[in-house]
Amino acid sequence: MSSPSKRRDMDVMKLMMSDYSVETINDGISEFNVEFHGPKESLYEGGVWKVRVELPDAYPYKSPSIGFLNKIFHPNVDELSGSVCLDVINQSWSPMFDLLNVFEVFLPQLLLYPNPSDPLNGDAASLMMKDKEQYEQKVKEYCERYAKKEHIVNAPTDESDEELSDEDFSDGRSDSDDDVAGHADP
């Protein structure tokens, strides 16, 4: 490719022509949302997330910024901001990668193989290491509550995200799930 802008256009077009639903923001191709489905045979199977992508001016030489807009319980995803902790995006990005790699390889791998030793969500990491069964239950609960098709149609803005966070901590449906990680009732 002769210029970063041509490469950006081509990568976004490839993503739009694939099976992913892409919604541009402000009629540009530097910011957009992508409908992302949890990988098969994972705890996240059946979940649907709206993932925000921001491409820097220097893309593909600089990595895209990736963040989940609806909630996900995962050690390497910040629960409040949706930011993703993934070496291949944050540190070892290469212009050889493209946006399809992000959605077909990198994000599915992140969900299939969480890394609790490098967490953005300390609660998820701690629970995963101390009580795998309770961790898996909480992941499935989040998928049910926050990652269905109807949740991404009107993805929460920052204000409503905060409301969801408050509800999550005082939800009342499963008080034992909200206890200190690793604590089991007798």
Side-chain angles (χ1 to χ4, degrees), residues 53-122:
V53 178
E54 293 180 32
L55 299 178
D57 290 339
Y59 178 86
Y61 303 104
K62 276 190 76 179
S63 66
S65 174
I66 307 290
F68 286 84
L69 293 180
N70 46 325
K71 292 179 105 175
I72 183 169
F73 192 71
H74 189 283
N76 310 112
V77 179
D78 184 89
E79 186 173 1
L80 295 177
S81 72
S83 296
V84 174
C85 179
L86 187 59
D87 282 349
V88 74
I89 292 174
N90 298 330
Q91 283 134 11
S92 58
W93 177 263
S94 162
M96 291 174 52
F97 302 136
D98 65 18
L99 295 171
L100 276 175
N101 291 126
V102 170
F103 289 95
E104 292 182 350
V105 180
F106 304 151
L107 288 179
Q109 291 288 315
L110 178 75
L111 297 188
L112 285 163
Y113 307 106
N115 179 4
S117 62
D118 186 20
L120 274 178
N121 181 335

